[in-house]
Amino acid sequence: MVIALSNLAATYSNQGRYDKSEPLFERGLAILEKANGPDDPEATVLMSNLADAYMHRRRYGDAERMLKRAIAATEKAFGTDHPDVAYALNNLAMVYSRQGRNAEAEQLLKQSVTAFEKTLGADHPDLAVTLDSLAGVYRDMGRTADARQVVARATAIRGKTTPKPI
């Protein structure tokens, strides 16, 4: 049931229909929490997806709360340097960035970079995505030299990765 709800909610999100996806993500999360408890690491994907729906609907406080829950549950289950923590930190940073809270976003993105480097390596494509987010925050802060440096690193990472054959 939860998988079906999540898939339908994701379809709505992909269509930009966040008003439709939000209640489905909430319902799926409630089912998982009832079955497995509030800190279930399996629920963190739903928490992140729900936070994304909140963010697109400009419900930044709800998005922040949900991502902090996802971060705490993931850290509890897997440790602070787990890639899923890094993804959630990146997402929370984007919530802060949209609110103009760039100093907070920068700190979270630096944490995300460190976690990715420790767990996935310095040349992983997911690290490049986080570096792009950090460059955007630097641009918003008027720190164009820092933004250029970070973009150059992300570009170098992308140049080192090759797509997997189908």
Side-chain angles (χ1 to χ4, degrees):
M1 171 94 166
V2 173
I3 293 171
L5 285 171
S6 181
N7 288 342
L8 181 57
T11 298
Y12 285 140
S13 285
N14 290 335
Q15 295 171 345
R17 298 169 66 189
Y18 301 104
D19 60 320
K20 299 277 188 189
S21 67
E22 185 181 305
L24 297 175
F25 283 134
E26 288 172 339
R27 186 170 168 206
L29 181 59
I31 291 168
L32 275 181
E33 288 177 332
K34 185 175 181 182
N36 303 332
D39 294 329
D40 179 22
E42 289 182 40
T44 59
V45 172
L46 279 173
M47 290 177 196
S48 293
N49 289 337
L50 179 55
D52 184 63
Y54 288 152
M55 185 172 69
H56 280 91
R57 297 188 72 205
R58 297 184 180 168
R59 294 178 55 188
Y60 300 123
D62 291 330
E64 178 180 2
R65 178 183 49 80
M66 194 57 56
L67 286 166
K68 284 182 175 181
R69 281 188 57 204
I71 291 166
T74 305
E75 285 179 342
K76 184 177 177 181
F78 305 116
T80 58
D81 290 329
H82 193 274
D84 288 352
V85 173
Y87 295 121
L89 289 169
N90 185 77
N91 293 342
L92 182 56
M94 293 301 89
V95 171
Y96 289 164
S97 176
R98 288 202 179 178
Q99 296 175 82
R101 297 165 62 183
N102 291 318
E104 292 168 278
E106 177 189 13
Q107 290 307 107
L108 292 176
L109 289 167
K110 286 180 176 181
Q111 284 178 263
S112 182
V113 165
T114 299
F116 277 134
E117 289 171 337
K118 285 181 182 177
T119 58
L120 301 179
D123 293 330
H124 197 277
D126 290 350
L127 173 59
V129 172
T130 296
L131 290 170
D132 287 336
S133 297
L134 182 58
V137 167
Y138 283 151
R139 278 190 294 274
D140 290 346
M141 297 171 87
R143 295 170 55 184
T144 53
D146 291 331
R148 280 191 203 108
Q149 184 178 24
V150 173
V151 166
R153 183 170 175 209
T155 302
I157 290 169
R158 286 190 181 91
K160 292 177 184 177
T161 58
T162 57
K164 294 179 182 178
I166 297 176

